[in-house]
Amino acid sequence: MAAATQTLTAADAFTITLIIRRFLPDVDDEARWESFDVSVYSTDRILDALHKIKWEQDGTLSFRRSCAHGICGSDAMRINGRNRLACKTLIKDLDITQPIYVEAIKGLPLEKDLIVDMEPFFEAFRAVKPFLIANSTPEAGKERTQSVAQRAIFDDTTKCILCAACTTSCPVFWTDGQYFGPAAIVNAHRFIFDSRDDAADVRLDILNDKEGVWRCRTTFNCTEACPRGIEVTKAIAEVKQAVLRGKR
Amino acid sequence: MSTIEAPRSSPTPARRSGVNWEKWGWIYMRASGVVLVVLIFGHLFINLMVGDGVKAIDFAFVAGKYATPFWQVWDLLMLWLALIHGANGMRTLVNDYASSPRLGGVLKGAIFASAAILIILGTLVIFTFDPCPAVPADQFSLLPSFCPPQ
């Protein structure tokens, strides 16, 4: 009987307050906070609350989202001061007695509401050559083989979805947009330590730069921000070690 | 037949050749940090814990240390390593937070100048310190009591 009551309670809708940092470039000179009351269920995520606002209250609210299941990396945003994916943040895990603050990720040019210009982020990503560069030719009809142990070395960094939660949580990136940023280094790590790749030295040289791995201050913001649980700071440290060794 | 275009990747600017100061700065911070832990805690232990402890520290105590080559080298290492370590740390802070290159340049110049002046003055003191300098007869009373009569 008690269990049944609890189930009923869990299914009841309740009202939360979302305070969203709005910026409509046609109207606003500067970003401003706007408050919305929205009725949600405890199983809802922040993304559901944003949808409700956009669909039922204010159609001008703009944000990116694609898959809505934590894989595409479109909806990274700053929720209660922490970078998270809106589609992976359950409302019941936040303190709903207080308003929930939602704003765009920091350090990239704000375009509209929760949308930022991701181009500087992807520019850094492209600069580390995030694709296989192999000088060898596999046997005809065969693929390049790799042992389980060889794969395990860089397995963690293959999980990156390029949501920019890490890079835009990095205080060095906030003040120095030239810094490659954690995400670019993670994606360099993914190929530097791949036994099938032959261009580790090229990528290590790129990251052995004034704006490369040496700018990392190991504040661990990136590791805490990563919605995929990648040990970002550890990956950066491994790249530092590889630069010092001069090889992977 | 169409081919897939090569991945869009900006041409990588070649790293300037020569000494990679950022890399060596990073290595220096770690190496000097390890050595400084030993030097500083050794310094504190000898000065504050051994024998009469902090009560033993006076002019004669310091003069005695600087008369010993071992402590000269110890303090010299501590001076150079700590000042460069600290100055480099502040340099990275300026790199991280100075809003304009001009301001950053001024701040880094000031950090470099203060560290250089302190290193030069400190080194001079360590090697030229003489507790009993030759003075005119009317100033004998200013010398510490342990100095031999002149």
Side-chain angles (χ1 to χ4, degrees):
Chain A
M1 196 55 202
T5 319
Q6 266 186 353
T7 319
L8 275 178
T9 320
D12 283 344
F14 51 91
T15 301
I16 58 163
T17 304
L18 246 61
I19 301 183
I20 302 175
R21 191 143 174 94
R22 302 292 308 273
F23 176 66
L24 301 172
D26 294 339
V27 185
D28 300 320
D29 292 327
E30 265 186 61
R32 62 195 155 79
W33 293 100
E34 190 174 345
S35 177
F36 296 93
D37 287 337
V38 52
S39 174
V40 294
Y41 297 97
S42 66
T43 49
D44 279 343
R45 307 151 300 165
I46 289 295
L47 182 64
D48 299 309
L50 292 173
H51 276 151
K52 277 203 159 174
I53 295 170
K54 185 173 177 65
W55 294 337
E56 296 167 12
Q57 297 185 31
D58 185 347
T60 65
L61 179 68
S62 304
F63 51 89
R64 284 196 183 102
R65 63 102 177 82
S66 300
C67 78
H69 290 82
I71 286 299
C72 71
S74 299
D75 64 349
M77 51 189 76
R78 204 169 153 88
I79 300 164
N80 277 353
R82 262 190 63 186
N83 281 3
R84 318 173 203 234
L85 296 181
C87 60
K88 280 186 86 173
T89 307
L90 284 172
I91 287 164
K92 71 177 174 63
D93 293 339
L94 301 169
D95 178 9
I96 52 169
T97 62
Q98 304 284 326
I100 296 162
Y101 288 82
V102 180
E103 56 188 309
I105 45 179
K106 282 172 178 279
L108 291 167
L110 186 61
E111 290 195 328
K112 187 180 181 187
D113 289 345
L114 302 176
I115 298 176
V116 296
D117 178 8
M118 297 283 279
E119 187 46 34
F121 172 79
F122 285 119
E123 200 182 330
F125 170 63
R126 286 195 299 268
V128 300
K129 302 184 186 294
F131 40 84
L132 185 80
I133 303 174
N135 300 331
S136 61
T137 315
E139 273 180 71
K142 303 254 179 171
E143 69 274 26
R144 292 182 178 81
T145 54
Q146 186 167 55
S147 71
V148 172
Q150 284 171 327
R151 159 78 193 196
I153 296 169
F154 65 94
D155 187 65
D156 198 36
T157 46
T158 63
K159 296 189 296 191
C160 178
I161 56 174
L162 292 169
C163 67
C166 60
T167 294
T168 58
S169 73
C170 174
V172 177
F173 184 78
W174 290 338
T175 50
D176 179 4
Q178 295 297 304
Y179 174 45
F180 278 94
I185 300 173
V186 158
N187 284 279
H189 179 285
R190 184 252 171 271
F191 285 99
I192 288 168
F193 293 95
D194 188 332
S195 58
R196 299 164 294 189
D197 189 272
D198 295 316
D201 52 340
V202 176
R203 297 195 188 85
L204 290 175
D205 196 52
I206 293 168
L207 291 174
N208 184 11
D209 182 84
K210 187 170 182 291
E211 304 296 347
V213 285
W214 310 120
R215 300 235 53 180
C216 169
R217 306 277 176 262
T218 55
T219 57
F220 283 86
N221 281 18
C222 49
T223 303
E224 280 180 29
C226 182
R228 304 280 294 156
I230 300 171
E231 293 178 283
V232 183
T233 314
K234 186 180 166 209
I236 298 174
E238 285 170 358
V239 174
K240 285 176 186 167
Q241 296 293 329
V243 171
L244 292 182
R245 277 197 306 272
K247 58 183 187 340
R248 75 163 70 106
Chain B
M1 194 182 89
S2 65
T3 51
I4 299 169
E5 236 181 293
R8 197 158 52 113
S9 182
S10 48
T12 312
R15 203 165 50 72
R16 277 177 303 155
S17 54
V19 181
N20 187 342
W21 288 102
E22 291 300 323
K23 181 178 92 171
W24 286 109
W26 188 87
I27 295 170
Y28 174 84
M29 292 306 266
R30 272 118 198 109
S32 63
V34 171
V35 179
L36 279 168
V37 165
V38 177
L39 288 177
I40 291 173
F41 281 102
H43 170 86
L44 291 173
F45 180 73
I46 297 293
N47 281 17
L48 305 180
M49 318 260 300
V50 171
D52 291 339
V54 67
K55 292 183 195 66
I57 297 184
D58 57 9
F59 188 82
F61 181 87
V62 177
K65 274 185 96 173
Y66 283 149
T68 328
F70 177 81
W71 289 114
Q72 278 186 336
V73 173
W74 185 292
D75 280 14
L76 187 76
L77 271 177
M78 206 158 60
L79 176 80
W80 280 67
L81 292 177
L83 276 170
I84 296 173
H85 186 100
N88 191 41
M90 288 195 283
R91 182 187 70 87
T92 58
L93 285 179
V94 171
N95 279 344
D96 284 354
Y97 290 108
S99 48
S100 75
R102 205 181 126 84
L103 176 68
V106 169
L107 290 173
K108 280 186 269 190
I111 292 165
F112 177 83
S114 50
I117 290 169
L118 286 170
I119 286 175
I120 292 168
L121 288 181
T123 308
L124 201 68
V125 167
I126 289 173
F127 284 118
T128 61
F129 183 69
D130 180 1
C132 305
V135 291
D138 60 332
Q139 289 175 18
F140 282 159
S141 59
L142 296 175
L143 293 177
S145 56
F146 59 77
C147 286
Q150 295 195 7

